[in-house]
């Protein structure tokens, strides 16, 4: 009988510990961190603005652009899986109260590299981080979002705070951590080397994030260590909240793109078009901003990744 009593006491202790741990996570929420003040300012040039606009259109617009205001005032992100909570992108226009007018260039750089906001709070994986982007490209992004372009001109429209789920808070406690600020400068890829340029684009445009096995097992610092790297099968949502499986982009001949021609690939990536087939659907956005050389480079790089046999059925067709 004694043993049962001890077992019951042990169970009670475990239960209380478990409950207080989850209470702690719930109250603590998404963790905050110390931010490093950087001595950093971006000189805007016409070339940087053009480059920045191109990168922002491919990397930020989808989430931060609001159709009703025709500007980057943020919105509810209906395609974020509900297991992550109710997530709103923020107003990133130049407005000092509701936007990011009060961020310094250094604070923006720090956020984009590490995921830590001006107020110290970490942004969970539903906000992009750019650990592999060259210093030049990240400067161009900052120059553009600080410009007087109508997309980012001050708009005093409050954005809704995110309501991350318990799962997100828990994962931020045990797994999702801020990324390390790079110790040295990151140079741009050699654009005459197609494989190198292609790899740069696959990492920075986050093709691998959607096209690997699962958002939860991505390795952002070393993308090629992500589970099922580029083998497809991840489950992003469309705008109605339906799962749309991602396709296998490895060079496997039966289940990947091993039998595709470069031309077929460029057409699919830039315009969402496939010969005799349904157009590619959201969230696979046509990358019209890519030059043919860039899209061809992605193809060249994809030919070099280890093939994975994973027959992903196209959803709902
Ligand atoms: C997948 C959607 C998504 C993408 C892509 C994205 N963001 Fe965000 N962004 C968010 C969400 C959601 C938040 C709010 C996160 C939070 O507060 O935890 C956010 C927050 C921010 C903030 C902080 C705002 C504040 O009030 O402190 C800035 C700045 C920002 N994003 C800029 C960018 C830039 C620049 C890009 C492109 C390089 C980008 N975002 C791409 C979803 C996204
Ligand atoms: C937000 C998630 C997401 C991102 C980022 C993304 N894709 Fe996709 N991609 C998808 C989905 C989902 C499909 C399937 C669309 C469908 O079935 O209509 C797809 C389909 C494709 C296809 C067609 C494959 C086939 O077998 O039909 C190609 C090629 C492709 N993506 C390449 C890319 C490249 C290259 C990048 C980066 C520049 C990229 N994708 C970024 C989600 C994404």
């Amino acid at each position: 009988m004694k043993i049962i009593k001890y077992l019951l006491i042990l169970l009670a202790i475990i239960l209380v510990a478990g409950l207080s741990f989850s209470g702690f996570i719930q109250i603590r929420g998404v963790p905050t961190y110390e931010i490093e003040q950087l001595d950093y300012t971006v000189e805007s040039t016409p070339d940087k603005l053009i480059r920045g606009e191109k990168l922002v259109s491919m990397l930020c617009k989808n989430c931060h652009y609001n159709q009703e205001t025709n500007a980057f005032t943020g919105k509810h992100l209906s395609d974020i899986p509900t297991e992550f909570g109710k997530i709103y992108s923020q107003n990133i226009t130049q407005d000092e109260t509701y936007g990011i007018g009060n961020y310094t260039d250094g604070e923006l750089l720090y956020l984009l590299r590490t995921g830590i906001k001006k107020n110290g709070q970490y942004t969970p994986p539903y906000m992009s981080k750019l650990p592999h982007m060259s210093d030049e490209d990240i400067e161009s992004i900052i120059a553009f979002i600080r410009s007087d372009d109508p997309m980012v001109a001050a708009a005093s429209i409050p954005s809704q705070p995110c309501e991350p789920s318990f799962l997100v808070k828990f994962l931020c406690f045990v797994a999702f951590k801020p990324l390390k600020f790079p110790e040295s400068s990151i140079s741009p890829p050699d654009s005459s080397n197609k494989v190198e340029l292609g790899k740069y684009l696959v990492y920075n445009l986050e093709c691998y994030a959607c096209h690997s096995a699962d958002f939860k097992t991505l390795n952002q610092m070393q993308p090629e260590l992500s589970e099922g790297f580029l083998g497809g099968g991840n489950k992003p949502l469309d705008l109605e909240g339906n799962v749309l499986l991602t396709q296998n982009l490895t060079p496997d001949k039966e289940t990947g793109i091993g039998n595709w021609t470069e031309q077929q690939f460029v057409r699919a990536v830039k315009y969402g078009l496939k010969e005799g087939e349904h157009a590619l659907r959201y969230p696979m956005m046509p990358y019209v901003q890519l030059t043919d050389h860039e899209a061809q480079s992605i193809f060249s790089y994809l030919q070099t990744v280890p093939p994975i046999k994973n027959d992903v059925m196209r959803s709902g067709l």
Side-chain angles (χ1 to χ4, degrees), residues 79 81 210 212-215 233-238 242-246:
D79 53 336
C210 280
S212 298
D214 193 323
F215 289 117
N234 196 356
K235 305 184 184 66
L237 303 183
D238 67 12
N242 304 310
V243 165
L244 208 66
L245 291 170
T246 64

Side-chain angles (χ1 to χ4, degrees), residues 2 12-13 27 38 42 63 67 78 87 120 142 171 227 312:
K2 234 185 185 160
I13 292 173
I27 291 165
L38 305 171
V42 172
C63 285
Q67 234 168 353
S78 54
I87 305 307
I142 296 174
L171 288 176
E227 189 189 335
V312 182

Side-chain angles (χ1 to χ4, degrees), residues 22 36 40 62 64 74 88 94 128 131 140 207 217 253 261 265:
S22 49
E36 220 176 289
Y40 173 83
N62 196 13
H64 285 278
Y88 301 87
Q94 288 305 305
S128 308
S140 300
C207 316
T217 50
K253 289 210 186 306
T261 64
F265 181 81

Side-chain angles (χ1 to χ4, degrees), residues 206-207 210-211 244 247 260 274 280-281 283-284 287 314:
E206 301 194 316
C207 316
C210 280
H211 283 278
L244 208 66
Q247 305 301 309
W260 286 40
K274 281 178 76 183
L280 298 176
R281 295 155 296 174
M284 176 63 203
Y287 288 86
R314 287 187 89 195

